[in-house]
Amino acid sequence: MVKITCIIGSPHSGGSCAHLIDTFIKGAEKSSKIKKYCIGDLKINYCRGCKKCYESGECVQDDEAKDIVLDILGSDCVVIAAPSWWADVPAQLKTLFDRTTPYGDTNPNRKHKADKLVKGIAIAVRAGVREAENELILNSIQHYFGHLGIETVERISILQTDNLSDLLEKHQAEIKHIFELGKRFAEE
């Protein structure tokens, strides 16, 4: 059974990013074990920058960050969908990225890493029309994946989407593509 971790990188559990994650899950659910997180529903503290994780391989804080990262590292596929907030990922998602320092490849004492190839899908959604801003978000997610040893296999950019109605009205082809990706990953 394929293990998939999906992260709604928006604090809104009912918006465009959530719909895209749910679409992927619908495609994959028949033969996959899926964990879904909405970044806005999680208790993740800011990184303190204390660098104690470089000594111990673990974070000194006790919140949900470690469990999420362990799910990511134990997955076959990770999907992150994030909206554009001032041409970057929302602060809540960036906080998770920061808190992954104990588990990233820059930490010489990390205790946890993926023991197999993990594939990553990055999805960026924004209201505007400039592709360059979505590229920044996709690059941020891909950079995050890279430090965890996750291979980015798909980057999806969706423009002119200010709300769920815009997504549903303007992007049926992209929604179908994401559903098909879910099916494909479930069959691997």
Side-chain angles (χ1 to χ4, degrees), residues 6-7 11 15-16 33 37 45 52 54 59 61-62 75 84 86 88 95 112 115 137 144 148 153 164 166 175 182:
C6 296
I7 299 174
S16 299
K33 180 180 177 187
Y37 297 100
N45 300 319
K52 291 183 180 174
Y54 281 91
C59 185
Q61 299 189 69
D62 185 21
S75 293
S84 173
W86 289 97
D88 209 337
T95 298
H112 306 283
D115 59 0
I137 294 162
Y144 175 70
L148 292 176
V153 296
L164 183 55
D166 287 344
I175 293 168

Side-chain angles (χ1 to χ4, degrees), residues 29-47:
E29 67 188 348
K30 289 186 180 173
S31 56
S32 302
K33 180 180 177 187
I34 301 169
K35 290 270 192 147
K36 178 176 90 170
Y37 297 100
C38 178
I39 204 74
D41 296 339
L42 303 170
K43 179 167 178 13
I44 302 174
N45 300 319
Y46 296 118
C47 177

Side-chain angles (χ1 to χ4, degrees), residues 4 19-29 31-32 77 79 121 123 154 156 172-188:
I4 299 173
H19 184 79
L20 294 169
I21 290 292
D22 288 342
T23 298
F24 183 90
I25 290 170
K26 284 178 189 162
E29 67 188 348
S31 56
S32 302
C77 177
V79 184
I121 299 171
I123 303 170
E154 187 90 23
I156 300 168
Q172 285 301 309
E174 291 90 340
I175 293 168
K176 182 179 180 187
H177 176 67
I178 290 169
F179 177 81
E180 294 299 327
L181 275 174
K183 282 177 60 175
R184 189 177 87 208
F185 275 94
E187 294 166 358
E188 289 184 356

Side-chain angles (χ1 to χ4, degrees), residues 68 73 76 81 151 185:
I68 296 163
L73 294 174
D76 297 296
E151 177 190 357
F185 275 94

